[in-house]
Amino acid sequence: MSQKTALVTGAARGIGLATSKLMIERGWQVAMLDRDKEELEKVSAELQHATAFYCDVSIPSEIDQTVPAILERFGRLDAVVNNAGVAHFGPIEGTDFETWRTVMDTNLDGVFLVSQATADALKKTRGAIVNIASISGLRASTLRVAYGTSKAAVIHLTKQQAAEFGEFGVRVNCVCPGPVRTKLAMAVHSQDIIDAYHDAIPLNRYGSEQEIAEVIEFLCSERASYVTGQIIASDGGFESTGIGLPSLRS
C-alpha cells in the first residue's frame, strides 16, 4: 500500500502505453484504463505492477465504478494522467454536431470527470494530475475545429484545476505533444506532410512516445514538486514557429 500508484487513461497504446511502461520502470504501480478491452488486456499482461481497468472515460457511470475499484486494488492514488483522446480532422462545414460532441465527450468531458472522481484520493496523498492536450490546442491549424478546440479547453481546465487544487497540495499541469512518430501518424502522413513538419520544427524531426512519457512522468514525480499550472509543449519547438503548413492545408 506504500508504493505510489498512477492512473493512466488511454493506456492501451501510444503515449498512454509508453507512459505506463516508464512509470513502472521508475517504481510506480499503474492502473491502466482504456475502452479497448482486448488491446488493454494484451499489453497489460506483459507488464508487472500494472492492472487493467476497462473504462470509457466519456461515460460517467463507468468512471464512478472504476475509480473505487482502483482504490480498493491499490489503496491509494498519487497521480492521474488524463491521456485518453479521440481525433477527427475535417473542415468546419463538414463537421457535424454528433462528431463535435464525440470529440468533446472524450477529450474534454473525460478529463473533467476523471479528475473530479479522483480529487479526494489525490488530496490525501498530495498528488498530481497531468492532462494531455496537444500543440493543436496552442496554435490553430486547418481541419482541427473539434480536436483543437477540445485541447484548448483542456489547457484552460488545467489552469482552473491548478488554482483550485493547489491549496490541498495537488499539482496540475498539462503536456502538449507536437507531432509524434506513432504508427498511426506514419500510416496517414504523406511524405509531403512529413517533410513540411520537419521544415517547421526547429529540431527537424518528429518526437517519440518515449520522449513525451518522460515529461509526463517528471510532472507526476516529486522532482516537479513546485511545478503547477504549467502548460508544457513537448514539440521540438514547433509552437514557436508560427502557423501554416501548405502541405497540410491542401
Side-chain angles (χ1 to χ4, degrees):
M1 294 297 185
S2 62
Q3 186 178 8
K4 286 194 172 185
T5 301
L7 181 164
V8 180
T9 70
R13 56 178 54 82
I15 292 170
L17 178 56
T19 300
S20 298
K21 289 179 177 179
L22 180 63
M23 296 191 82
I24 290 169
E25 289 176 11
R26 301 278 166 84
W28 295 75
Q29 50 190 0
V30 178
M32 300 175 67
L33 271 65
D34 207 284
R35 66 183 182 184
D36 186 341
K37 187 175 183 179
E38 182 178 349
E39 186 68 16
L40 178 64
E41 290 180 348
K42 183 177 74 173
V43 297
S44 64
E46 300 172 354
L47 301 173
Q48 290 186 333
H49 308 294
T51 303
F53 293 87
Y54 171 78
C55 180
D56 185 332
V57 299
S58 70
I59 301 176
S61 61
E62 292 195 9
I63 296 171
D64 291 342
Q65 293 173 357
T66 301
V67 171
I70 291 171
L71 292 173
E72 182 178 357
R73 167 67 178 81
F74 294 109
R76 61 185 293 161
L77 190 59
D78 301 88
V80 171
V81 179
N82 284 308
N83 170 72
V86 297
H88 173 268
F89 302 120
I92 293 173
E93 63 273 19
T95 302
D96 59 34
F97 186 66
E98 182 179 0
T99 299
W100 171 273
R101 279 302 335 153
T102 297
V103 173
M104 295 298 168
D105 285 348
T106 297
N107 292 7
L108 178 58
D109 297 352
V111 174
F112 170 74
L113 291 168
V114 172
S115 299
Q116 189 178 57
T118 57
D120 286 344
L122 291 171
K123 289 175 184 178
K124 292 178 181 178
T125 59
R126 301 176 70 85
I129 297 173
V130 178
N131 298 324
I132 311 304
S134 168
I135 198 68
S136 294
L138 287 171
R139 51 179 282 174
S141 182
T142 54
L143 310 181
R144 286 165 170 78
V145 61
Y147 181 75
T149 302
S150 72
K151 294 301 189 179
V154 168
I155 288 169
H156 189 76
L157 177 59
T158 298
K159 295 179 181 180
Q160 293 285 159
Q161 291 172 330
E164 188 164 332
F165 292 155
E167 65 179 289
F168 303 102
V170 177
R171 298 178 296 103
V172 189
N173 294 288
C174 183
V175 175
C176 295
V180 177
R181 195 175 185 85
T182 63
K183 290 181 180 179
L184 177 61
M186 292 303 98
V188 300
H189 286 187
S190 67
Q191 191 59 50
D192 283 347
I193 290 176
I194 293 171
D195 292 343
Y197 271 130
H198 284 191
D199 288 343
I201 298 171
L203 290 185
N204 196 36
R205 64 175 176 84
Y206 284 61
S208 71
E209 295 163 349
Q210 177 73 17
E211 287 175 309
I212 309 302
E214 290 281 359
V215 179
I216 296 168
E217 194 276 332
F218 166 73
L219 292 171
C220 290
S221 76
E222 287 300 317
R223 305 191 307 281
S225 58
Y226 200 53
V227 181
T228 194
Q230 298 306 300
I231 314 303
I232 299 175
S234 183
D235 67 346
F238 188 38
E239 197 267 335
S240 70
T241 59
I243 63 172
L245 295 179
S247 293
L248 292 180
R249 290 204 304 273
S250 61

